[in-house]
Amino acid sequence: RDDVGEGGEMGDTQKGWERAMPAWLKEGKVQAHRVVTVGDKTDLGEGLSIDAAIDDIPRSLFSLIERQRERLPEATQRRLEAAAVAGVEFVHAPLADALDLDADTLQSTFDTLVRQRTWLREGEPSVLPDGRVGVRYVFTHAVYRHVLYELAGAAPRVQWHRRLAAALLRAHGARVEEVAAEVAVHFEK
């Protein structure tokens, strides 16, 4: 098949693009666990940034990911886009606050996506300073995060950045220094 299969897995088109991808992309140098995001730049190491990497991604690969996203329920699409605004790696509890959504509902959505093994993988749980336990999620590939971020649209991105900054401040209370840089980046957007 040339499209996304049932359950969200990539079909033959992805395999074709993997063969045509630049070596640094194919070798996993943009794996989410190896990416560092600071401000508008995501450092991939070796002098590369996600901005440069995305320029090399064919429009058809972007479209393939977009079609894959469109097969998800509308609410799941919005939640993934908000997660993309949160970053390559994020904790679900502050994101749920920013979305004015029950944390268990958001966790259930993301756990379903983790089981599908396409969009997200689960990281280590985090105990937030406010006492809640949050599940850390990581995009399976920085390219997925980038496409979702772009698809979210400018106005929702700005709103989610502001709401995420406020949610992080509430969750960390007096220990805001732990997330000061992240909060600053969200407020800058």
Side-chain angles (χ1 to χ4, degrees):
R1 280 173 57 161
D2 284 340
D3 60 354
V4 180
E6 289 185 26
E9 72 275 1
M10 294 286 198
D12 293 335
T13 302
Q14 180 194 23
K15 292 175 186 150
W17 280 119
E18 286 175 351
R19 286 190 297 274
M21 285 180 185
W24 56 266
L25 182 59
K26 191 177 354 180
E27 292 168 5
K29 295 205 171 131
V30 291
Q31 290 289 333
H33 64 280
R34 301 172 107 183
V35 174
V36 177
T37 302
V38 179
D40 288 338
K41 293 288 186 189
T42 302
D43 180 22
L44 305 174
E46 300 181 26
L48 298 170
S49 73
I50 194 67
D51 301 319
I54 297 304
D55 289 341
D56 290 343
I57 294 174
R59 178 68 192 157
S60 55
L61 180 57
F62 188 99
S63 296
L64 177 68
I65 295 170
E66 183 177 19
R67 284 194 318 268
Q68 182 182 17
R69 179 192 87 6
E70 288 170 354
R71 292 183 177 176
L72 297 169
E74 183 77 22
T76 301
Q77 291 179 38
R78 296 294 85 73
R79 292 169 188 170
L80 267 175
E81 290 166 359
V85 170
V88 172
E89 185 175 322
F90 60 93
V91 176
H92 90 287
L95 181 59
D97 293 345
L99 294 172
D100 198 24
L101 189 64
D102 176 69
D104 290 339
T105 300
L106 187 61
Q107 181 180 348
S108 177
T109 298
F110 290 159
D111 286 347
T112 298
L113 293 169
V114 166
R115 284 190 297 278
Q116 292 174 356
R117 297 181 173 194
T118 301
W119 299 100
L120 299 171
R121 65 179 173 84
E122 190 174 313
E124 295 296 318
S126 293
V127 178
L128 298 170
D130 65 5
R132 294 181 295 166
V133 176
V135 179
R136 184 172 303 280
Y137 293 95
V138 182
F139 279 95
T140 57
H141 206 288
V143 174
Y144 282 131
R145 186 242 173 199
H146 177 79
V147 169
L148 290 165
Y149 188 88
E150 292 300 316
L151 291 172
R157 282 195 309 258
V158 169
Q159 181 182 34
W160 287 332
H161 275 297
R162 290 178 180 170
R163 294 178 78 184
L164 274 163
L168 288 167
L169 287 172
R170 282 190 306 274
H172 286 80
R175 293 173 43 191
V176 72
E177 69 278 354
E178 295 175 8
V179 291
E182 185 177 359
V183 168
V185 167
H186 286 303
F187 275 131
E188 285 176 359
K189 304 288 183 170

